[in-house]
Amino acid sequence: MKTQAEHAEIARTIPLDKIDVSNPELFAIEALHPYFARLRKEAPVHYCAESAYGPYWSITKFNDIVAVDMNHKVFSSDHTNGSFVLDDTTLNAVEGGISLPNFLGMDPPTHDVHRLAVAPIVAPQNLLRFEAKIRERTKNVLDSLPIGETFNWVDRVSIELTTMMLATLLDFPFEDRSKLTRWSDVVTTRPGYGLVDTWEQREQELMECLAYFQELYAERKKLPPQPDLVSMLAHAPSMQNLTPTDFLGMLVLLIVGGNDTTRSSMSGGAYAASLFPEGFAKAKANRALISSIVPEIVRWQTPISHMRRTAIEDIEFQGQKIRKGDKVAMWYLSGNRDEEVIDRPMEFIVDRPRPRHHLSFGFGIHRCLGNRVAELQLKVLVEEILARYSQVEVVGEPVRVPSNLIHGFIDLPVRLHA
Amino acid sequence: MPKIIFITSDGTERVVDAATGQSAMEVALDNLVEGIDGDCGGLAACGTCHVYVDPDWIGKTGPAAPGIEQEMLALTDNVQETSRLSCQIKISEELDGLVLRMPEAQH
Ligand code: HEM
Ligand code: FES
């Protein structure tokens, strides 16, 4: 495998038409940024003719991404037209993958019906009842961490906290919650990436997930409606014809959407604290900055690297002819580093003037539904970290997820200073 | 200079000066009016600048426009008849005294 520095040189000299930013190896060592910088400058709407996922377009500038994300009539995310991720096997029954339809992969009007059925539980007014619980758990997790010793922040903090939150939203049996983490990881993987050996194994594990939730569903159906996601699905009048496939698809959206993303933000936040200690010190002195630090973590980390659409008619976009059927990747990771929209984009700045103006949650009708739950968890975590430590130090090279979708960490070796 | 009156869900009033040509969302952000986020910068793409236009004023602002504004409002929490995305309300002299109420929270 090449180093970051070698990739920076390749990114500078390689012919434009040979650039393939979907290669997971580039994500494993965070070597993407020089490629994205070149595309933003020289080919902001770029065609890659050959990749592991077939030909695809890359949209890399902030405002172009917003334009594609909002134009859902031309750039469809419906699973019947394609998928909302580059790799068709993640959610569709192609190669060894299985069909996991959900409303992020649906166009209106079905999209709206499904979204509105689950929206209330993550509406900000309803989140207030979670805050005390989130804080108590966050305190417990942090209080259990060693001072002055190296440990993996991803396992001990990020996974622990996000999985507990997800278990709460689903009212999932708490002692079994590590299953949620496993299922979440299994969805976005393929054989050969270290998590499953075969497509059959992946399918079998996802079927276990379905069976587990079908049991919960049957129990809750018999009880009066409760404010958890499974009960809501069991009782929502518009959700009564959900097939097992649709049910699994919906679960996958909630599990991956709510888990890997917030997890990556919690890890990214710790990494940022280590790389930008002046910012950390500033925040410690002025806690009012927390409201801008939270969105800055989400921007800087960009937990979802891309979302994909499929053109359902020919369209001329920024001088390029995109044809019906073409795959179009919106690289949020690149747009959030677009220097024409974001000042000093590579830096983590705790007092940016308009920190909420970032792409990490997407825009348009598919804009992230769980953004406030994620921000609430991050807010509490940042508050409790600032209240405890003088420094969060990353002491070794982080190990990253080899994925062009999930922009996160497997191992972040951290040492805390009292 | 037109004045805009923002009222939070608990009834707190803020009267602020606006420049014509600005959107009501920009007016709120420039004056640090709490309760409007404006995450997308004013493109009707995020739904975090939701307001309820005072019924006496809806004739002057007009209702939500067909297309993206209505599509986004269809997915927004607690929408009412006079709901608008404030980034789509352009301030003119005619809107001097406009009253906008804010929801409990933006989502
Ligand atoms: C920092 C954390 C998070 C990030 C960065 C994130 C990112 C995203 C992105 C990029 C999209 C697609 C936007 C688009 O296509 O325009 C999305 C959609 C979605 N997210 Fe999140 N997400 C996060 C947390 C969560 C949480 C905690 C939940 C659930 C509890 C959640 C549930 C969803 C759902 C249901 C959708 C589909 C919305 C639709 O299609 O209408 N997300 N998220
Ligand atoms: S600012 Fe995003 S919809 Fe108005």
Side-chain angles (χ1 to χ4, degrees):
Chain A
M1 228 199 241
K2 297 188 183 65
T3 63
Q4 267 187 355
E6 285 166 326
H7 275 295
E9 183 54 23
I10 297 171
R12 211 172 54 76
T13 51
I14 188 174
L16 271 178
D17 63 348
K18 291 281 173 286
I19 292 182
D20 173 13
V21 286
S22 73
N23 178 1
E25 265 180 42
L26 299 175
F27 291 84
I29 57 163
E30 190 76 349
L32 261 303
H33 295 299
Y35 292 96
F36 281 141
R38 173 126 181 255
L39 290 186
R40 283 196 301 273
K41 206 157 154 222
E42 296 177 31
V45 178
H46 170 262
Y47 190 69
C48 171
E50 255 174 74
S51 84
Y53 318 99
Y56 68 94
W57 292 93
S58 284
I59 315 292
T60 44
K61 289 192 68 75
F62 193 106
N63 291 322
D64 291 345
I65 291 170
V66 178
V68 170
D69 221 352
M70 284 181 69
N71 190 355
H72 59 86
K73 293 201 173 80
V74 173
F75 298 108
S76 165
S77 79
D78 206 274
H79 62 102
T80 57
N81 296 320
S83 181
F84 58 82
V85 295
L86 270 176
D87 188 344
D88 285 333
T89 65
T90 308
L91 296 155
N92 292 354
V94 294
E95 285 178 57
I98 59 171
S99 172
L100 300 165
N102 59 61
F103 61 93
L104 182 44
M106 292 176 192
D107 292 342
T110 332
H111 161 267
D112 298 18
V113 175
H114 284 233
R115 178 168 168 127
L116 291 169
V118 294
I121 192 165
V122 286
Q125 302 88 306
N126 298 342
L127 292 178
L128 296 175
R129 67 194 171 94
F130 292 126
E131 180 160 352
K133 195 176 247 179
I134 294 173
R135 188 171 305 277
E136 183 196 309
R137 286 173 182 166
T138 306
K139 284 182 167 177
N140 287 342
V141 164
L142 293 182
D143 288 341
S144 76
L145 299 173
I147 299 285
E149 270 173 45
T150 305
F151 64 92
N152 182 0
W153 183 269
V154 180
D155 282 340
R156 299 274 308 259
V157 181
S158 314
I159 292 184
E160 192 63 5
L161 287 174
T162 50
T163 310
M164 285 197 271
M165 185 71 221
L166 187 61
T168 302
L169 288 174
L170 292 160
D171 196 11
F172 189 87
F174 217 59
E175 61 289 358
D176 275 352
R177 66 186 188 275
S178 64
K179 288 183 193 292
L180 292 172
T181 316
R182 172 73 192 171
W183 291 328
S184 178
D185 291 338
V186 166
V187 173
T188 54
T189 195
R190 332 168 34 123
Y193 286 80
L195 281 169
V196 296
D197 297 324
T198 60
W199 286 114
E200 291 70 33
Q201 184 193 346
R202 177 174 178 272
E203 178 166 351
Q204 189 205 327
E205 291 199 37
L206 292 174
M207 287 304 136
E208 282 166 22
C209 170
L210 174 62
Y212 195 108
F213 274 97
Q214 280 176 323
E215 222 168 283
L216 293 182
Y217 184 96
E219 283 169 18
R220 301 214 180 139
K221 181 109 192 151
K222 285 190 229 133
L223 300 169
Q226 297 166 62
D228 71 76
L229 283 163
V230 179
S231 177
M232 286 176 79
L233 289 176
H235 292 279
S238 59
M239 292 289 108
Q240 294 310 303
N241 299 321
L242 226 52
T243 63
T245 306
D246 289 337
F247 183 47
L248 182 59
M250 174 77 94
L251 291 168
V252 158
L253 174 61
L254 298 169
I255 293 174
V256 178
N259 211 46
D260 286 24
T261 51
T262 318
R263 182 201 300 180
S264 303
S265 308
M266 289 183 172
S267 305
Y271 196 27
S274 176
L275 291 177
F276 300 90
E278 350 47 76
F280 187 84
K282 231 182 194 177
K284 240 182 122 63
N286 178 9
R287 304 292 162 89
L289 289 174
I290 290 173
S291 62
S292 61
I293 289 174
V294 168
E296 178 67 352
I297 290 175
V298 179
R299 179 198 72 87
W300 189 77
Q301 179 56 31
T302 316
I304 299 278
S305 297
H306 85 274
M307 282 280 117
R308 166 219 160 169
R309 300 295 186 256
T310 308
I312 52 173
E313 52 187 73
D314 291 356
I315 184 172
E316 176 147 338
F317 185 75
Q318 302 295 12
Q320 301 293 321
K321 285 201 168 57
I322 297 179
R323 294 192 192 285
K324 182 176 173 177
D326 285 357
K327 295 180 173 186
V328 178
M330 303 176 279
W331 292 102
Y332 296 141
L333 188 58
S334 170
N336 274 339
R337 299 285 186 276
D338 183 345
E339 39 289 281
E340 279 175 26
V341 176
I342 314 253
D343 181 38
R344 288 177 291 153
M346 297 303 283
E347 287 173 47
F348 186 91
I349 298 177
V350 292
D351 48 6
R352 279 189 186 280
R354 290 204 177 167
R356 307 189 58 83
H357 190 225
H358 64 67
L359 291 166
S360 298
F361 292 127
F363 281 121
I365 60 165
H366 293 288
R367 181 173 166 81
C368 181
L369 189 59
N371 55 355
R372 301 294 165 173
V373 197
E375 289 176 344
L376 177 59
Q377 293 175 79
L378 288 168
K379 180 191 87 143
V380 172
L381 180 61
V382 172
E383 283 170 358
E384 296 300 329
I385 288 174
L386 289 174
R388 279 175 178 70
Y389 313 115
S390 62
Q391 196 193 343
V392 176
E393 188 189 1
V394 173
V395 291
E397 203 42 50
V399 181
R400 291 169 180 275
V401 182
S403 160
N404 58 36
L405 176 66
I406 303 296
H407 187 229
F409 303 87
I410 294 166
D411 187 3
L412 191 69
V414 160
R415 193 176 298 155
L416 295 169
H417 299 253
Chain B
M1 224 181 220
K3 287 201 189 315
I4 311 286
I5 300 155
F6 290 95
I7 305 177
T8 61
S9 62
D10 64 10
T12 315
E13 245 184 70
R14 281 274 316 269
V15 184
V16 298
D17 289 326
T20 56
Q22 271 192 308
S23 76
M25 179 278 289
E26 286 164 339
V27 175
L29 259 57
D30 284 353
N31 289 283
L32 304 176
V33 171
E34 275 191 48
I36 306 262
D37 291 340
D39 291 4
C40 73
L43 301 168
C46 68
T48 68
C49 64
H50 178 203
V51 292
Y52 307 115
V53 177
D54 185 278
D56 289 345
W57 284 94
I58 194 75
K60 289 218 169 105
T61 61
I68 186 70
E69 187 181 358
Q70 283 184 7
E71 282 171 7
M72 290 304 287
L73 279 171
L75 302 171
T76 303
D77 304 329
N78 306 316
V79 170
Q80 298 170 10
E81 212 162 305
T82 66
S83 284
R84 292 280 323 254
L85 294 177
S86 58
C87 67
Q88 303 302 303
I89 301 176
K90 205 169 175 186
I91 303 304
S92 59
E93 287 300 340
E94 218 195 326
L95 292 181
D96 185 21
L98 173 67
V99 178
L100 301 173
R101 293 193 170 74
M102 292 174 285
E104 223 178 297
Q106 303 286 348
H107 184 179

